[in-house]
Amino acid sequence: MKGFGIYKSKKYLQRVLISIMLSMVVVLMALAVANTYVLEDSVRRNQEQSNLKVLSQIQYNLTYMNEIITHLSNYVNKDNQLATLLFDMKLPKMDFIRGYQRMSSIMESASFLHSIAIYNHTQNEIYGTTSAFLLDGGKTKSSIRDWLFNPSKPHPTSRLIPVSLEKADGGIDAFAFLVTNSLKPFSRAESAIILYIKSDWVFESLKRMDAVSNDKEGNEIYIADQDGHLFSSDDAVTDQDKAKRDQIKQLVQRDKAMNQQQSGFVVGKIDGSKQLVSYMDDGVRNWTIIYVQSYDLMMKDVRSTRTKSFAITGIFLVLSIGLSIWLSYKLYTPIERMLRRIRLQAPRGGSNATPFDGDELHLMSDNYMQLSHKLQEISSEQIVSKYYLRKLLTDSSLFTHHDMLEVIEKHGLGISVKDELLVCVLRIDEFQAFDRNTTGAAKKLYSFAIVNIAHEIMAKQHLCEVVEVRGDHVVLIVSNQSAGAGEGDHADRASEPAATLAEQVVPIIKDIQQTILHFYGISLSCGVSDSIPQFPYISSAYNQALQVCNYKIIYGHMAVITPDQIKENLFNKQSAIPDVIERKLSEALKKGQMSEAGSELEKAFTMLATFGYDDMLRAVSNLAWVVKNTAAEIANNRVIKFDVDLEYATLITQEKETLEEMYIALLSLCARICEGQRPATMERNDMILETIKELVEQKYADINLSQQSIAATVKLSSAYIGKMFKDSTSMSITEYMNEVRLKHAQQLLETDDYTVIEIMEKCGYSNPSYFFRLFKGKFGSTPKEYRMKKSIS
């Protein structure tokens, strides 16, 4: 509950958290919905394409079935035994019997035939094969006659026509196929053979096609004739089925009228459930093939995927909420730090505390406005008071007792004229870097903060004044009078044993240093003066505090230094490092002995720590010059360049503020000097080797060039330079000379038209056979062969 209360009090954090959380929730939910919508649309489109293929295959199957029946009808129409039934005016009994037998044999040969009927227009008689046709007293014959001779609806020939032979509910049990000698619609003036095809044969074929193409149950296939009547394989057609078929017909007709296409897809409510209806026109038979599927069944996997998607989205929502909380607190951290700083300075409790109803930004804004108003309230009187304080620090003897009382009373200065006083100087460490890296506005802000924090912390226990001087330090004038104590309390406090004023002030100064370092990252060192009896000695105390503060060169940054700590330094008469230390340091550097150089440097700085401040700087500068001059002397006596920045030595006292930093800088410089040196013998040998190689490169064309002539040139013995060259390069001087000469001979052969003899002479050879032998040993061919190969290539 406590954590919830803290969260509840942070209104801006609530806004950040809710904004991030809602953004993540909206994005994740939108993504989940969009994914399911795209998935459903993709599944529907794939199913539509699959249905289109199924309908196309059904259309092809119907066409193929129509061709089978057409072939059978042509065969039947040309049968001689059936011709008597078709055309004879008087039919002998035996011909009648043979015709019926022939129709029976045809029925047995074609399993898809329901029955056969023959119309003889000369007799106006119909003959049929079914038992009902023969035994029902002429009802079937009458039904066939009524259908066949319907004047309002002429029947096309060689086409499957859905008919109802035995059903009275409108359901079809066969397809009629009229066969005549003409292709015109049937008329009573011509004979015809009527082949009745089983409806199951047509619809079962379509169902098998559907079963192969689709594994979903509950799919239905309908055939709509040109009048819009729907037919299926169902034997019984109830009123509910009729209503369902009417809904399917309306959906298809509406979509056809809207899109004007021969095939299409429509989704709608049929018999209370959502269905996908696919249709395709069969132009040959004027039929429309309709394929009805349950939309919910088709989308079963999509719904399952949607459920999983929302479950995964829910998991990610929980994770996003956790991430939102973490991210919100991460973004809120700078604001919370600022609030801590504001609350540190804000009044705690009391009647003056005002309730706050806004969020954190409003709180900071109000705090900023209060601070701005507070800054604006600094009047000319306050500016003048700062002027008098600075004047008091520079020359306090100008103020008489009466003048001082008047200034204190008029400007409200926190300085006691009766109690002892103390002056503290707070100086910014590494001020050059601070001044270089901080803008002017930021400097003013930091100065204002240091002055106010120092005054607030010190004023809790002592009457004091704080003023900024020259930008790099702040001065505190502390009175040995408790904050809020009146003049009447002085005698009572003086009679009580207590710590000295300096002992009371030092812990408070350390508290000021830590507070400023914590909030602003600024390190301050402090110099504390001796206690003075009255205000006329403030200038002297200020100068003393400045001098004492300089001794942070010994005690380091963040030090609080009192005069007692530097008494030995002030009374030390020694002002220079003994010459023997400087001499040993120089000798160690020349010899490259880093351990000895470091030891001498450590002795010097141990001694330096007891000097006065000015003597310290002078002695460190002298040490730096000793190191620089030694390095310069080493560099002058070396052949190889000495890569050390010697000017850096003279800048150490300017860039470093403490003896420790100066010691490390000089020690590092000495290490680089020692590491940069190499043995003198190695330098001499390198110089001789480079000289020999340079002589060979310059005089390779001289026939008289030899190891002896080179030794005479460098003023050394032939044996010495020969051994030194062999040890260093793994080849003799003569071998090196031949390498250089042959290299130049190779270049001349490739680029110039000189003869081989001329090239030999230009490369310092006088004996052709010796030159040819050396060249072939180097390149594997004679000079002429080499030139020929290069010219060809």
Side-chain angles (χ1 to χ4, degrees):
M1 294 300 294
K2 181 180 179 182
F4 179 76
I6 294 174
Y7 163 75
K8 187 176 180 182
S9 65
K10 299 176 179 179
K11 297 182 180 179
Y12 180 73
L13 175 60
Q14 295 177 35
R15 290 212 308 268
V16 173
L17 179 58
I18 291 172
S19 300
I20 296 176
M21 195 180 300
L22 284 179
S23 299
M24 289 188 174
V25 169
V26 170
V27 169
L28 286 174
M29 291 302 297
L31 182 62
V33 172
N35 282 340
T36 55
Y37 171 79
V38 170
L39 178 61
E40 182 174 343
D41 184 69
S42 176
V43 170
R44 182 176 61 81
R45 289 182 181 276
N46 290 337
Q47 189 61 50
E48 288 175 353
Q49 295 299 319
S50 176
N51 291 352
L52 186 62
K53 294 178 182 178
V54 171
L55 293 176
S56 298
Q57 186 63 44
I58 290 174
Q59 185 184 38
Y60 172 78
N61 287 355
L62 288 175
T63 302
Y64 179 69
M65 293 165 62
N66 196 83
E67 290 178 358
I68 293 174
I69 298 168
T70 300
H71 290 312
L72 178 63
S73 66
N74 291 334
Y75 170 75
V76 171
N77 191 36
K78 294 177 181 179
D79 193 298
N80 293 329
Q81 295 182 14
L82 297 179
T84 56
L85 293 178
L86 275 170
F87 302 110
D88 287 359
M89 184 176 294
K90 292 182 180 181
L91 188 64
K93 190 173 183 179
M94 288 304 296
D95 290 342
F96 176 79
I97 292 173
R98 280 194 293 270
Y100 267 94
Q101 287 177 347
R102 185 57 182 163
M103 285 192 291
S104 297
S105 65
I106 293 172
M107 286 284 297
E108 291 175 358
S109 64
S111 61
F112 55 82
L113 286 177
H114 176 277
S115 60
I116 300 176
I118 296 177
Y119 168 66
N120 188 324
H121 78 281
T122 57
Q123 296 179 8
N124 193 23
E125 185 64 51
I126 299 176
Y127 304 100
T129 61
T130 63
S131 58
F133 186 88
L134 300 172
L135 302 175
D136 63 359
K139 289 182 180 181
T140 301
K141 181 186 290 188
S142 175
S143 173
I144 294 174
R145 185 179 292 275
D146 292 341
W147 173 81
L148 188 60
F149 301 142
N150 187 353
S152 63
K153 190 175 182 182
H155 301 296
T157 60
S158 300
R159 296 288 185 273
L160 289 172
I161 304 170
V163 296
S164 178
L165 290 177
E166 300 172 358
K167 294 183 178 181
D169 57 359
I172 65 170
D173 51 9
F175 286 88
F177 193 89
L178 282 171
V179 183
T180 64
N181 289 330
S182 66
L183 298 176
K184 298 178 182 180
F186 171 76
S187 67
R188 299 186 65 167
E190 57 183 341
S191 298
I193 298 175
I194 308 169
L195 302 177
Y196 287 101
I197 311 301
K198 295 177 182 178
S199 62
D200 291 343
W201 183 64
V202 176
F203 285 110
E204 284 300 324
S205 175
L206 303 185
K207 282 189 174 182
R208 283 196 297 271
M209 182 64 203
D210 174 43
V212 171
S213 303
N214 200 318
D215 60 354
K216 299 289 190 298
E217 298 180 358
N219 301 342
E220 296 178 320
I221 298 177
Y222 295 92
I223 293 177
D225 63 11
Q226 58 188 359
D227 297 328
H229 300 300
L230 265 65
F231 305 100
S232 70
S233 61
D234 292 342
D235 294 332
V237 180
T238 63
D239 292 338
Q240 184 178 359
D241 294 333
K242 290 180 180 179
K244 180 178 180 180
R245 295 184 182 189
D246 289 340
Q247 294 173 11
I248 295 173
K249 181 170 66 176
Q250 291 174 6
L251 284 174
V252 173
Q253 290 176 348
R254 189 183 308 120
D255 192 69
K256 278 187 175 182
M258 183 182 301
N259 297 323
Q260 298 295 323
Q261 295 179 350
Q262 293 184 349
S263 62
F265 313 91
V266 59
V267 178
K269 288 281 187 179
I270 299 175
D271 201 17
S273 63
K274 196 174 182 180
Q275 305 282 341
L276 173 64
V277 180
S278 308
Y279 63 89
M280 176 180 285
D281 288 343
D282 181 12
V284 178
R285 287 161 289 277
N286 292 328
W287 289 354
T288 300
I289 306 167
I290 300 174
Y291 188 30
V292 180
Q293 295 172 281
S294 171
Y295 192 85
D296 294 333
L297 192 60
M298 182 177 67
M299 294 298 170
K300 180 180 178 182
D301 293 338
V302 175
R303 288 199 302 273
S304 175
T305 303
R306 180 187 295 130
T307 302
K308 294 177 182 177
S309 175
F310 280 115
I312 294 173
T313 302
I315 294 173
F316 275 95
L317 279 176
V318 173
L319 294 176
S320 67
I321 290 173
L323 179 62
S324 301
I325 295 174
W326 177 82
L327 186 59
S328 300
Y329 273 99
K330 201 73 175 174
L331 295 174
Y332 186 75
T333 299
I335 297 175
E336 190 168 29
R337 290 175 182 168
M338 185 65 70
L339 285 174
R340 288 200 195 103
R341 296 180 182 180
I342 291 174
R343 287 168 179 155
L344 184 67
Q345 305 299 328
R348 295 180 176 84
S351 59
N352 295 329
T354 58
F356 180 72
D357 297 327
D359 62 15
E360 293 90 325
L361 294 182
H362 287 88
L363 175 62
M364 288 188 285
S365 176
D366 289 349
N367 187 268
Y368 172 78
M369 293 303 297
Q370 293 174 10
L371 183 60
S372 178
H373 293 155
K374 185 177 180 180
L375 290 175
Q376 292 174 2
E377 289 173 359
I378 298 177
S379 62
S380 58
E381 288 294 331
Q382 291 172 311
I383 297 173
V384 171
S385 67
K386 298 298 181 184
Y387 165 77
Y388 279 115
L389 285 173
R390 293 189 180 98
K391 192 70 175 174
L392 186 64
L393 290 172
T394 56
D395 199 350
S396 56
S397 60
L398 293 177
F399 292 85
T400 64
H401 186 79
H402 179 268
D403 293 337
M404 191 64 191
L405 287 175
E406 185 178 353
V407 169
I408 291 174
E409 181 180 355
K410 183 177 181 180
H411 301 290
L413 298 181
I415 298 177
S416 173
V417 295
K418 295 182 178 180
D419 297 294
E420 62 177 344
L421 302 172
L422 195 69
V423 176
C424 303
V425 172
L426 288 168
R427 176 172 286 170
I428 298 174
D429 295 327
E430 303 286 353
F431 180 74
Q432 290 184 357
F434 172 83
D435 185 59
R436 184 169 56 252
N437 300 325
T438 310
T439 63
K443 291 176 187 175
K444 292 180 181 178
L445 176 63
Y446 288 138
S447 176
F448 177 79
I450 293 171
V451 168
N452 280 273
I453 291 173
H455 184 272
E456 180 180 355
I457 295 177
M458 184 63 72
K460 291 177 182 178
Q461 300 186 36
H462 293 279
L463 188 66
C464 70
E465 278 295 340
V466 185
V467 63
E468 180 259 339
V469 180
R470 294 204 305 265
D472 67 334
H473 66 275
V474 171
V475 181
L476 285 84
I477 304 174
V478 184
S479 302
N480 193 15
Q481 177 180 330
S482 299
E487 295 294 336
D489 299 327
H490 175 65
D492 295 336
R493 183 174 47 80
S495 62
E496 298 174 359
T500 64
L501 182 57
E503 292 173 345
Q504 300 174 39
V505 167
V506 168
I508 302 173
I509 294 294
K510 292 181 178 179
D511 187 17
I512 293 171
Q513 289 175 322
Q514 292 298 328
T515 302
I516 294 172
L517 180 65
H518 176 71
F519 288 108
Y520 297 100
I522 297 176
S523 171
L524 300 175
S525 296
C526 180
V528 181
S529 71
D530 288 322
S531 298
I532 54 175
Q534 289 187 358
F535 71 89
Y537 303 101
I538 286 180
S539 297
S540 300
Y542 169 60
N543 291 326
Q544 184 188 22
L546 277 175
Q547 183 182 14
V548 170
C549 191
N550 288 332
Y551 282 88
K552 71 177 180 180
I553 191 173
I554 300 175
Y555 296 99
H557 299 151
M558 294 285 291
V560 180
I561 309 164
T562 62
D564 292 339
Q565 294 175 258
I566 62 170
K567 281 183 179 179
E568 293 184 5
N569 298 81
L570 295 176
F571 291 106
N572 190 354
K573 301 301 181 181
Q574 187 175 359
S575 61
I577 299 296
D579 294 339
V580 64
I581 293 179
E582 294 181 354
R583 187 179 68 255
K584 288 183 179 180
L585 175 62
S586 177
E587 291 174 354
L589 291 176
K590 290 176 181 179
K591 295 177 182 179
Q593 298 172 341
M594 183 57 209
S595 58
E596 286 77 2
S599 176
E600 297 301 323
L601 203 61
E602 185 177 358
K603 292 178 185 177
F605 272 86
T606 303
M607 191 176 296
L608 277 171
T610 63
F611 289 6
Y613 176 73
D614 293 332
D615 294 333
M616 281 186 210
L617 293 181
R618 189 182 305 109
V620 172
S621 179
N622 290 339
L623 276 177
W625 276 103
V626 168
V627 173
K628 178 183 177 182
N629 292 335
T630 302
E633 186 178 352
I634 294 172
N636 291 334
N637 295 327
R638 288 167 55 90
V639 176
I640 298 175
K641 184 179 178 181
F642 193 50
D643 189 18
V644 177
D645 184 11
L646 301 180
E647 296 301 324
Y648 174 71
T650 58
L651 301 176
I652 289 177
T653 55
Q654 301 176 25
E655 294 183 356
K656 308 300 180 183
E657 290 189 347
T658 66
L659 285 179
E660 183 179 3
E661 292 175 345
M662 296 176 188
Y663 169 73
I664 292 173
L666 278 175
L667 190 65
S668 175
L669 183 61
C670 291
R672 290 199 299 273
I673 292 171
C674 292
E675 289 172 1
Q677 294 190 70
R678 295 171 62 190
T681 302
M682 189 176 296
E683 284 189 29
R684 181 172 179 270
N685 290 346
D686 289 343
M687 180 183 67
I688 294 172
L689 285 173
E690 292 300 322
T691 302
I692 292 173
K693 290 179 180 180
E694 187 175 351
L695 284 171
V696 173
E697 287 289 343
Q698 291 177 356
K699 299 183 177 183
Y700 70 91
D702 186 0
I703 296 176
N704 297 318
L705 181 66
S706 63
Q707 181 172 323
Q708 289 76 14
S709 65
I710 293 173
T713 303
V714 298
K715 303 296 190 294
L716 294 170
S717 69
S718 175
Y720 176 77
I721 65 169
K723 184 178 184 305
M724 182 193 66
F725 195 92
K726 182 77 172 180
D727 292 341
S728 300
T729 63
S730 300
M731 67 170 62
S732 66
I733 295 177
T734 302
E735 290 173 343
Y736 181 75
M737 289 168 53
N738 286 329
E739 286 286 330
V740 174
R741 285 171 168 172
L742 291 175
K743 179 184 70 175
H744 285 281
Q746 179 190 19
Q747 293 174 354
L748 291 173
L749 286 169
E750 293 177 357
T751 58
D752 291 312
D753 296 330
Y754 298 114
T755 65
V756 174
I757 298 301
E758 289 175 338
I759 291 173
M760 178 192 72
E761 293 174 350
K762 287 181 178 294
C763 293
Y765 292 105
S766 59
N767 189 335
S769 61
Y770 179 65
F771 171 64
F772 290 167
R773 186 172 66 254
L774 289 176
F775 192 91
K776 189 170 183 179
K778 175 71 174 175
F779 299 104
S781 62
T782 65
K784 289 183 179 180
E785 291 173 343
Y786 183 84
R787 172 176 279 179
M788 185 177 297
K789 289 179 181 179
K790 289 297 179 181
S791 62
I792 293 173
S793 61

